[in-house]
Amino acid sequence: MHCKELVKGKKWVCVADGPSHPVTGKRRQVSRSAKGKGEAIKKVEQAVKELESAIVYHKDITVREYSREWYQQYLRRGRKETTNGIREEDATTLNGFMGSLEIKAVTPKGYQNFLNYLFDKGYALNTIKRIHSTGRMIFKKALEDKAIDADPTTNVFIPRKKITVEEIENDTVKDMYLEVEELKLFLVEVDKYVNFVYVALIYLLTFSGMRPGEAAALHKKDVLFESSQVRITKTLQYGKKGENKIIPPKTMTAVRTVDLDKKIMSMLQQLIDYKKEVGYPESEFLFAMSDGHPPTVPLIRNVVKRIAKRAGIKKMMNSYILRHTHISLLAEAGADLPHIMQRVGHKNESTTTEVYLHTTKGVRDSLTSKMSDRFGDLMSSKRNGE
């Protein structure tokens, strides 16, 4: 930094190099004046600091480049793993259509074409709405960051077809979990999967109701073999593989100990033995891979999708559908809602309640049969001569 007294005892000016221009790369100097030298130095240092912290985007930044940066900031909001995963998938869909375009070149017409493309490809209305919501967040933030001059997502519309009676009557809750026959098909393909770490992980998710992040964060000491239980006290914060953080759950409701079937416990012991046999490095994580780290939630989701595709499952698969499937299995087994909530670590959750109240075909048939056996005589109308 260079300082010079311009007016003796009255005015000083100081000059220092600031960060180079983000677009041209040229050198930038910062100059500030004050009555005293010390004050002038402080002003220059503050100005340089502000320039260094400011984000100025180069003029040809693409939608893909900006959306990646937006997503990294979005992760810091502390959303649920499923929400983060959904936003990532939505951004990927957006990038598949316009990722290579300069973000400033995206027009309202171009963005409308993107929504029309989703419609023409047969995306469900709610899915288009969700992807559009993510797109709006990305471009709104880009406008705030001055990466674009105008938001192309304003004044567009979501295309939709005329709703039919069949669609009104369509039951969407059943798409949130696997019916028993679907689960059988899925598990047949799971058993064929090469990496046994994922096999054991998927079985645990299905028959414990754990969240994917909770399972990935498990340490070997959390598996209580003597009592056939697993202790859940933490979750894996989403991030790049090897850069994940183990954090406490959001609420104390999620801290719990879950009873497991002895077959699942046996599989977890088999997992520990398997990793020793194949030479995996020692790790405190139960589901550590060959690099000593557990798989990320997106990796788990991708494996579940691939296996479901091989099994011919038509439902939109993700790692959370296994959690919902467990809820449906508990309901079919006769567990009450409070017990289910406690087991899966929920205090209030609409999805759990929806799946529980919907129940499965087995429960409905069983209840109908029991009602008929016990109260059939009440259903007989005397007017019909019965």
Side-chain angles (χ1 to χ4, degrees):
M1 184 180 296
H2 174 71
C3 295
K4 182 179 180 181
E5 190 176 22
L6 297 181
V7 180
K8 191 172 179 66
K10 291 186 178 181
K11 187 175 184 180
W12 280 79
V13 63
C14 292
V15 182
D17 284 332
S20 54
H21 195 280
V23 177
T24 65
K26 291 183 178 180
R27 175 188 180 192
R28 289 192 299 183
Q29 288 191 316
V30 178
S31 172
R32 294 291 186 271
S33 60
K35 288 183 178 181
K37 181 179 178 180
E39 187 180 354
I41 290 174
K42 287 182 180 179
K43 284 186 175 182
V44 171
E45 290 175 342
Q46 180 62 31
V48 170
K49 186 177 180 180
E50 289 175 358
L51 281 175
E52 288 175 340
S53 62
I55 300 176
V56 181
Y57 295 94
H58 58 83
K59 60 182 179 181
D60 58 349
I61 185 172
T62 64
V63 174
R64 181 175 286 105
E65 290 170 336
Y66 182 82
S67 64
R68 284 173 179 167
E69 181 172 319
W70 168 84
Y71 182 64
Q72 291 305 313
Q73 293 297 327
Y74 183 82
L75 289 176
R76 292 177 171 84
R77 297 185 181 185
R79 305 294 189 191
K80 293 194 298 184
E81 295 160 359
T82 43
T83 304
N84 291 336
I86 287 170
R87 295 304 179 196
E88 184 182 32
E89 286 186 5
D90 293 346
T92 299
T93 303
L94 177 72
N95 289 327
F97 186 83
M98 61 175 69
S100 60
L101 291 177
E102 294 178 8
I103 195 166
K104 283 190 174 182
V106 180
T107 63
K109 183 177 180 180
Y111 187 82
Q112 182 67 62
N113 287 339
F114 167 60
L115 297 179
N116 294 344
Y117 163 81
L118 297 178
F119 176 78
D120 293 339
K121 282 291 184 179
Y123 281 72
L125 176 60
N126 286 337
T127 303
I128 297 176
K129 286 181 177 179
R130 192 197 69 215
I131 295 173
H132 175 50
S133 176
T134 301
R136 289 182 63 186
M137 283 191 275
I138 292 173
F139 284 101
K140 180 182 179 182
K141 190 68 173 67
L143 183 63
E144 293 174 357
D145 289 342
K146 296 182 170 47
I148 57 177
D149 300 321
D151 183 354
T153 67
T154 57
N155 300 321
V156 297
F157 67 92
I158 296 177
R160 64 186 72 195
K161 59 184 179 180
K162 189 174 182 180
I163 193 167
T164 64
V165 173
E166 288 76 14
E167 288 171 325
I168 294 174
E169 295 177 347
N170 182 40
D171 191 349
T172 58
V173 178
K174 65 181 181 181
D175 293 329
M176 298 167 63
Y177 63 88
L178 299 179
E179 295 278 4
V180 173
E181 292 305 315
E182 293 173 316
L183 180 58
K184 287 179 181 178
L185 293 174
F186 176 71
L187 292 178
V188 166
E189 293 301 321
V190 171
D191 290 335
K192 297 177 184 177
Y193 202 75
V194 176
N195 192 327
F196 187 72
V197 176
Y198 279 113
V199 175
L201 177 57
I202 290 172
Y203 266 88
L204 180 63
L205 291 175
T206 305
F207 294 101
S208 71
M210 295 175 67
R211 299 174 178 89
E214 293 173 340
L218 284 177
H219 290 177
K220 287 185 285 189
K221 66 181 181 181
D222 295 320
V223 183
L224 311 177
F225 286 103
E226 291 185 2
S227 57
S228 292
Q229 294 174 313
V230 63
R231 182 176 53 205
I232 304 166
T233 60
K234 49 194 170 291
T235 189
L236 190 70
Q237 188 179 51
Y238 179 81
K240 293 181 180 178
K241 193 172 183 180
E243 298 178 3
N244 299 293
K245 293 182 179 179
I246 301 300
I247 60 173
K250 285 186 177 181
T251 65
M252 289 306 296
T253 307
V255 176
R256 61 202 189 279
T257 299
V258 176
D259 296 318
L260 294 177
D261 189 279
K262 292 189 182 297
K263 292 179 181 178
I264 302 300
M265 297 301 296
S266 176
M267 185 173 285
L268 296 182
Q269 181 60 61
Q270 186 181 348
L271 167 66
I272 295 173
D273 298 337
Y274 165 83
K275 291 195 295 182
K276 290 180 180 179
E277 290 174 8
V278 298
Y280 277 16
E282 280 294 323
S283 173
E284 61 184 348
F285 290 106
L286 177 64
F287 293 104
M289 308 294 280
S290 58
D291 60 359
H293 297 287
T296 61
V297 173
L299 278 175
I300 297 171
R301 181 173 63 245
N302 290 338
V303 170
V304 169
K305 284 183 176 181
R306 286 199 300 269
I307 295 175
K309 186 176 181 180
R310 294 173 190 170
I313 305 296
K314 301 300 182 182
K315 293 177 178 177
M316 185 174 290
M317 292 292 294
N318 54 57
S319 46
Y320 263 70
I321 201 171
L322 302 179
R323 179 169 163 84
H324 301 156
T325 298
H326 184 70
I327 293 169
S328 74
L329 294 177
L330 290 174
E332 187 164 354
D336 58 26
L337 185 56
H339 174 77
I340 294 175
M341 288 284 195
Q342 186 277 328
R343 183 174 174 87
V344 300
H346 272 157
K347 186 174 182 180
N348 293 297
E349 173 59 43
S350 59
T351 300
T352 303
T353 305
E354 281 185 72
V355 173
Y356 175 79
L357 293 178
H358 182 273
T359 67
T360 58
K361 187 176 185 299
V363 173
R364 295 195 300 272
D365 291 346
S366 175
L367 289 176
T368 302
S369 177
K370 288 179 180 178
M371 285 285 290
S372 180
D373 291 343
R374 187 163 184 177
F375 305 112
D377 58 329
L378 299 178
M379 303 179 196
S380 300
S381 171
K382 302 304 180 185
R383 292 187 60 182
N384 292 334
E386 296 178 359

